[in-house]
Amino acid sequence: MPQSKSLSTDPIEQAFKLGEHWVPGVWRYMLPVALTDMTFPQERRATCLNCPRARFEGWRPDYRCCTYHPRVPNFLLGLALSHPASEKIVRRLVADGFIIPEGMLSSPSQWAHYLSDTGEDRFGRSERVLCPFLEQKSGLCNLYAFRNSVCSTFFCLHDHGDKGDKFWSSLQTLAQQVEMAIGQWALNELGFDVKACMQRMNSLAGKVEKVSDPETGAWTPYALKVIWGNFHGRELELLQGCADLVRKNRDRLWEIANTIDILEPNKLDRAAVKVVPRKYRSEIDAEYFETGETSPPRDIWRGFKVLHKNLWTLPAGSLALSPRARIIPNPQDDEQGKAFSDCSHVVEFRSRRNARDFEWREYLHADKAVALLWFTRRRKVNEALLGHLSTMTNQHASQFLSEWTGKKVLVRSLRQGSP
Ligand code: SF4
Ligand code: SF4
């Protein structure tokens, strides 16, 4: 998602690039330094300012995938208070009852709204669940340098298919875990007892219908008083305090995140189901009800590094075009085909070899189409193949291969001759 400008020169408040992707400045500090040396997929198809979902799938062109309520931790909201565009919004959200000590977290009613949207296939089309940080006219994100882990890692299409999806999901889990840990650490450091707050939140479980406004989704004044405790009326001060602590302890954030046991208001969370209309309860993820221990960030980091390696490891042996992939000339017989008129071909990928409908398709320039069609015959991966492919595609051969094997369009072939 595009950005609005940040005025600060402090790197913690400046978005920076991981590969081609902008991420919040605090990531320089809260995640392992080795992350900045990694090679990231480019995700060339998720062209947000020319969003394919809005162009071809009826999503709102103004909100696109921002039809959700991002969970933004307190310290990021505190950092956002230093910037004119986001400051106004954070102040308004506090005044309107959308912020609790951990940050901007969906209230039970907001969660119910979201589930009813997904149940009615309204994600991307919602009239009600809209991120308050999006500037509707320009499509700019007013929280860009401080946006959360989900917003920073979400791509609706992946250059590496499922492998790319897993890679970004793992990074999102890692960053989210660290965000939650740091948010709770900061609260305790400021004298806000997180454990006591969770108990107070759980005490609301029996009155869950009174916790949030069914129309606006805001936390009710009654719930806010209970949840904020001694800090009720000093909300901005607490957010600011969390941000200051994070600035001051920036070099210890990863270490801190690995020492915190994250607490959650499990009773209230379970009770929130009552607020969800019955017909949308099937939209709830099974893991929502799991209350097991969360993995420490360092364990998630280990798993993430394996996924990163898998993303770029060159396949051994021989490769061939998958029987589930069909490469045909671009027929230009629909809106999308016409919009990609500069692409000579399209690859259609099916869930089964002879399935009538394709699962996904991608338009190809002639060089890529020729290179993929070259794999109609089984090809052994070796130096000669890499050289040949680089010449054919004008792209680094290993990148070409990792992308198309990630999407399963090229697959390992064990037999001699045709796949
Ligand atoms: S991630 Fe996808 S849906 Fe969201 S704005 Fe970008 S292209 Fe559109
Ligand atoms: S914070 Fe920004 S990127 Fe995230 S949903 Fe809101 S507008 Fe979109």
Side-chain angles (χ1 to χ4, degrees), residues 41 43 158-164 311-312 399 402-403 406-407:
E43 308 307 0
H158 296 100
D159 287 356
H160 294 249
D162 282 352
K163 274 192 185 177
L311 204 58
W312 298 111
Q399 186 184 357
S402 52
E403 284 180 15
K407 282 185 275 212

Side-chain angles (χ1 to χ4, degrees), residues 320-339:
L321 192 63
S322 165
R324 292 158 64 194
R326 194 176 301 161
I327 296 169
I328 55 171
N330 178 359
Q332 297 195 33
D333 57 357
D334 63 10
E335 203 188 336
Q336 202 166 351
K338 284 180 196 143

Side-chain angles (χ1 to χ4, degrees), residues 1 45-49 51-54 59 64-65 154-157:
M1 194 57 53
R45 290 190 297 145
T47 47
C48 300
L49 278 181
C51 172
R53 306 281 184 191
W59 287 24
R64 295 152 288 172
C65 53
F154 180 76
F155 300 95
C156 61
L157 296 164

Side-chain angles (χ1 to χ4, degrees), residues 74 101-103 182-194 197 228 231 238 242 245:
N74 47 28
E102 274 200 84
I182 293 174
Q184 295 198 354
W185 161 79
L187 289 174
N188 279 324
E189 288 290 304
L190 291 169
F192 181 92
D193 186 336
V194 173
C197 176
W228 280 94
F231 278 82
L238 195 73
C242 292
L245 266 174

Side-chain angles (χ1 to χ4, degrees), residues 5 15 45 53 59 64 72 139 147 209 222-223 230 232 255 260 278 282 329 331 372-373 390:
K5 289 266 182 289
R45 290 190 297 145
R53 306 281 184 191
W59 287 24
R64 295 152 288 172
V72 187
R147 69 204 197 287
E209 291 87 356
Y222 159 70
N230 289 343
H232 191 230
E255 185 191 317
I260 301 293
R278 275 188 194 283
S282 57
L372 286 175
L373 285 166
S390 293

Side-chain angles (χ1 to χ4, degrees), residues 41-290:
Q42 288 183 24
E43 308 307 0
R44 295 177 294 259
R45 290 190 297 145
T47 47
C48 300
L49 278 181
N50 191 13
C51 172
R53 306 281 184 191
R55 287 171 77 194
F56 309 118
E57 295 178 29
W59 287 24
R60 295 175 60 136
D62 50 355
Y63 273 86
R64 295 152 288 172
C65 53
C66 297
T67 57
Y68 92 112
H69 300 125
R71 174 181 181 134
V72 187
N74 47 28
F75 63 91
L76 286 177
L77 294 174
L79 290 171
L81 281 170
S82 313
H83 295 269
S86 43
E87 181 198 1
K88 272 189 274 173
I89 302 172
V90 175
R91 284 181 181 277
R92 179 166 47 79
L93 289 167
V94 169
D96 292 349
F98 286 99
I99 307 295
I100 60 174
E102 274 200 84
M104 187 165 89
L105 272 65
S106 282
S107 70
S109 297
Q110 284 182 305
W111 184 54
H113 295 165
Y114 174 77
L115 292 172
S116 62
D117 270 3
T118 55
E120 298 290 344
D121 194 22
R122 285 195 299 254
F123 184 80
R125 302 174 174 85
S126 184
E127 291 298 320
R128 180 155 66 171
V129 183
L130 304 170
C131 175
F133 288 102
L134 195 93
E135 197 172 290
Q136 199 172 349
K137 272 192 193 152
S138 62
L140 293 180
C141 168
N142 278 316
L143 195 66
Y144 203 72
F146 316 106
R147 69 204 197 287
N148 76 0
S149 51
V150 177
C151 299
S152 305
T153 54
F154 180 76
F155 300 95
C156 61
L157 296 164
H158 296 100
D159 287 356
H160 294 249
D162 282 352
K163 274 192 185 177
D165 192 8
K166 284 193 187 120
F167 168 83
W168 287 112
S169 297
S170 171
L171 182 57
Q172 187 253 305
T173 307
L174 173 69
Q176 188 171 56
Q177 205 76 349
V178 173
E179 284 172 352
M180 288 165 74
I182 293 174
Q184 295 198 354
W185 161 79
L187 289 174
N188 279 324
E189 288 290 304
L190 291 169
F192 181 92
D193 186 336
V194 173
K195 195 170 173 191
C197 176
M198 295 297 156
Q199 284 163 356
R200 293 198 302 274
M201 288 181 83
N202 282 333
S203 74
L204 295 170
K207 310 156 200 147
V208 69
E209 291 87 356
K210 293 187 177 160
V211 161
S212 52
D213 185 301
E215 283 309 309
T216 66
W219 297 88
T220 58
Y222 159 70
L224 288 168
K225 205 168 169 195
V226 173
I227 298 170
W228 280 94
N230 289 343
F231 278 82
H232 191 230
R234 294 192 285 147
E235 295 84 358
L236 290 167
E237 182 196 319
L238 195 73
L239 298 180
Q240 192 69 67
C242 292
D244 289 344
L245 266 174
V246 163
R247 282 192 192 95
K248 215 179 290 169
N249 292 278
R250 64 181 73 190
D251 295 330
R252 299 173 48 223
L253 295 177
W254 173 248
E255 185 191 317
I256 290 168
N258 276 287
T259 61
I260 301 293
D261 285 331
I262 297 168
L263 302 178
E264 303 211 44
N266 294 321
K267 269 193 194 165
L268 179 61
D269 287 349
R270 278 195 298 273
V273 174
K274 283 191 209 150
V275 177
V276 179
R278 275 188 194 283
K279 63 173 176 170
Y280 301 125
R281 290 186 189 167
S282 57
E283 294 296 313
I284 303 171
D285 280 344
E287 63 185 38
Y288 181 81
F289 299 102
E290 290 167 9

